[in-house]
Amino acid sequence: MSRSSPGPTPGYLVWRLANKWRVAVDRALAPLGLTHAQYSLVASLHGMQRAGERPSQRRLADHTGLEALYVSKLARALEAAGLIERTRDPRDPRAVQLALTEAGQDVTRRAVRVVQQLLQQLLEPLGGLDSPRTRAFTDELTTLLDVPLAPSVPNDETTQGTTP
């Protein structure tokens, strides 16, 4: 909470909403054996494969906004579960390419349907997934996400005791 306003800050609300939605997606996908983070990876990979791309872990990390090391960890777990395959890129032996297996494609298609239904439910207060309010909300979030992060500042007295 900010000292200058009586209510929650936008950062706090975004953080709370992100956590609420992550928990909802985790619960909805649990029967399929996926977490929200794993879903982000396989759903993105599914879309990229449909566009004819076989992305590297780095490319998928850039696409999802996840850290490359976290993508590597998730990819290893998904490979162990038989949902993706990891192969060396013939053009760059340091790079690892990812692709969904047949089982991974099946689970991902089912997971996408589950998440679409959940999004419809979560966005109902704004009129549902295709409503003008949801499109405006999406535009506002996109605007905020498109702003590059400033370099980190050292922790000083001006940043002490503030919330996100």
Side-chain angles (χ1 to χ4, degrees):
M1 301 272 253
S2 168
R3 291 184 197 121
S4 63
S5 79
T9 65
Y12 176 76
L13 293 173
V14 167
W15 175 72
R16 287 282 314 273
L17 183 61
N19 282 320
K20 178 181 179 177
W21 284 26
R22 182 193 50 78
V23 167
V25 173
D26 278 343
R27 288 178 182 161
L29 293 176
L32 296 174
L34 293 175
T35 65
H36 188 250
Q38 290 172 328
Y39 171 77
S40 296
L41 211 71
V42 296
S44 294
L45 187 54
H46 180 68
M48 294 168 99
Q49 275 186 218
R50 289 180 61 195
E53 191 174 346
R54 187 177 174 124
S56 67
Q57 286 183 173
R58 164 54 67 194
R59 168 83 176 95
L60 194 56
D62 292 344
H63 180 80
T64 60
L66 296 171
E67 293 292 327
L69 285 174
Y70 190 45
V71 168
S72 177
K73 178 183 172 186
L74 291 170
R76 289 177 204 276
L78 291 164
E79 180 182 43
L83 300 180
I84 68 169
E85 58 185 15
R86 300 167 65 243
T87 57
R88 291 283 172 205
D89 185 335
R91 296 163 296 178
D92 181 358
R94 297 167 297 160
V96 175
Q97 290 181 318
L98 303 175
L100 289 168
T101 62
E102 282 189 40
Q105 289 176 24
D106 178 57
V107 167
T108 301
R109 282 191 290 272
R110 292 186 303 163
V112 167
R113 285 192 298 273
V114 167
V115 170
Q116 286 295 315
Q117 290 171 347
L118 179 61
L119 281 175
Q120 182 65 34
Q121 176 189 342
L122 292 172
L123 291 166
E124 198 55 45
L126 298 181
L129 196 54
D130 298 319
S131 77
R133 284 183 70 196
T134 296
R135 282 192 295 281
F137 178 61
T138 302
D139 290 345
E140 297 290 350
L141 292 172
T142 301
T143 298
L144 294 174
L145 287 169
D146 285 346
V147 175
L149 288 176
S152 297
V153 283
N155 211 1
D156 65 24
E157 63 276 356
T158 63
T159 60
Q160 298 289 319
T162 60
T163 59

